[in-house]
Amino acid sequence: MTAAAGALTTVAVVLAARAVESILILIGVAFFLALGLEPLVRWVTARRVPRWAAVTGVFVVGGAALTALVAAAVPPLTEQASALITAAPHYFEQLTEPTSWVGRLDARFDLQHRLTQFWGGAGTSVLGEIVTAGQAVFTALTDTLIVTVLTIYFLADLPRLRATLYRFVPHSRRPRAILLGDEIFAKVGSYVLGNVLISVIAGAATFVWLVAFSVPYALLLGVFVAVLDLVPLIGSTIAGIAVAAVALTVSVPVCVATIVFFVAFRLGEDYLLVPKIIGRSVEVPALSTLIAVLIGGALLGLVGALVAIPFAAAVHLIAQEVLFPRLDRG
């Protein structure tokens, strides 16, 4: 009966977790963001500022900066996005001229007809599901508000939360757990801030490159690159392919130069920016990084891919400091 009760309890817990999966993901994202903002708050509190004032200042300054950025960027972004959607069929026609290599591929595989069908089907779907789109926007806004509020609470109360978590560890092992926990929290914070800064640099560099070569939709593509660059490993590659496709509408040499630019920037990001900005605090073997991103993306989608590397760094640290020494002693 005890075993049956334990099994039933486990099943009930799993079913309950599945029922509130979306809420748990939002809580995890908020806690992840709080750990990422903790270095900023700690830097402010080191100047003898109360923690509540430091948290308020970080969110007020960040909110003001984000509001100003959105107010300045939304009009041109909307204009460029509308222009891109309107001009997309014309670009498809240009790319499928009979004299070009794409035209020869079109003659063989009927690419233009397939793309036209896809584009028309996507437009019909969007127009036919305005209510669904509105619900998706409302859900996104609600989730953003929930994550923001939870992040504020987590960040304001993080020292007490961390102390409470450490109390679940037996007293004899608590000092070691505190050292490992503080190092893991530091890794997460370094990764979040560093990843955001590198993504901003990638977006700005892309914008400058596209403006220099008169590639259309430079601001829209720069923001697109900055957002996708947050996703480890594959984000910048997908963004580079999309930008190169738009650059192809200018000329083939510009497209080739854009591809070279993204390859060079990716190398510079991996070997210069990441070591300098994030440093060695989140160092994870390449194979572990790839596996973690794939598993995280499969389990939790984009959120899982974003948190995969710091999670892998935490697992790697625990294995190095706890598991392997214990196995070596055995």
Side-chain angles (χ1 to χ4, degrees):
M1 291 180 64
T2 302
L8 290 175
T9 303
T10 303
V11 172
V13 170
V14 171
L15 292 177
R18 291 292 300 273
V20 296
E21 180 181 2
S22 59
I23 301 299
L24 293 177
I25 291 176
L26 295 180
I27 294 174
V29 170
F31 189 70
F32 183 75
L33 293 177
L35 292 179
L37 294 173
E38 173 63 13
L40 292 178
V41 174
R42 193 166 55 245
W43 181 83
V44 176
T45 55
R47 272 68 184 172
R48 297 182 179 179
V49 177
R51 186 171 183 87
W52 66 267
V55 173
T56 303
V58 167
F59 273 91
V60 169
V61 173
L66 183 61
T67 302
L69 177 63
V70 170
V74 163
L77 282 175
T78 304
E79 180 182 352
Q80 292 185 9
S82 300
L84 177 60
I85 293 173
T86 304
H90 176 65
Y91 288 146
F92 291 151
E93 293 178 1
Q94 283 185 336
L95 294 176
T96 54
E97 292 181 356
T99 57
S100 65
W101 61 273
V102 181
R104 291 191 290 271
L105 287 177
D106 175 55
R108 183 171 181 178
F109 298 105
D110 198 17
L111 296 179
Q112 185 177 7
H113 179 66
R114 296 175 185 271
L115 289 174
T116 303
Q117 281 186 332
F118 173 77
W119 193 264
T124 303
S125 176
V126 171
L127 293 176
E129 299 181 2
I130 297 178
V131 176
T132 303
Q135 291 176 345
V137 172
F138 178 76
T139 301
L141 292 176
T142 304
D143 290 347
T144 302
L145 179 61
I146 293 174
V147 168
T148 302
V149 173
L150 286 175
T151 302
I152 294 174
Y153 277 100
F154 279 140
L155 192 58
D157 213 21
L158 192 58
R160 191 179 66 84
L161 289 174
R162 195 158 47 186
T164 302
L165 290 175
Y166 292 148
R167 292 190 66 183
F168 285 97
V169 181
H171 181 73
S172 59
R173 300 179 181 179
R174 196 171 297 166
R176 182 63 171 168
I178 292 175
L179 290 175
L180 290 176
D182 288 347
E183 189 169 351
I184 290 173
F185 291 146
K187 286 178 181 290
V188 175
S190 299
Y191 174 77
V192 172
L193 290 180
N195 198 25
V196 170
L197 180 57
I198 291 173
S199 297
V200 171
I201 294 173
T206 301
F207 173 75
V208 172
W209 174 271
L210 297 180
V211 169
F213 285 89
S214 301
V215 178
Y217 321 113
L219 181 59
L220 179 64
L221 293 175
V223 174
F224 177 71
V225 169
V227 172
L228 279 190
D229 195 69
L230 292 171
V231 182
L233 298 179
I234 61 174
S236 59
T237 302
I238 296 174
I241 294 173
V243 174
V246 177
L248 186 60
T249 63
V250 178
S251 67
V252 174
V254 172
C255 176
V256 173
T258 302
I259 294 174
V260 173
F261 164 76
F262 270 97
V263 172
F265 186 85
R266 179 59 190 270
L267 293 175
E269 179 180 333
D270 291 341
Y271 294 101
L272 293 177
L273 294 180
V274 171
K276 291 292 184 180
I277 296 177
I278 298 180
R280 300 296 178 182
S281 60
V282 197
E283 185 177 6
V284 181
L287 180 60
S288 300
T289 300
L290 178 59
I291 294 174
V293 170
L294 292 175
I295 294 177
L299 291 177
L300 298 176
L302 180 60
V303 174
L306 291 175
V307 304
I309 290 182
F311 184 79
V315 173
H316 185 262
L317 175 65
I318 294 174
Q320 292 290 337
E321 298 293 333
V322 178
L323 179 60
F324 293 156
R326 183 174 299 177
L327 293 176
D328 291 340
R329 288 194 302 268

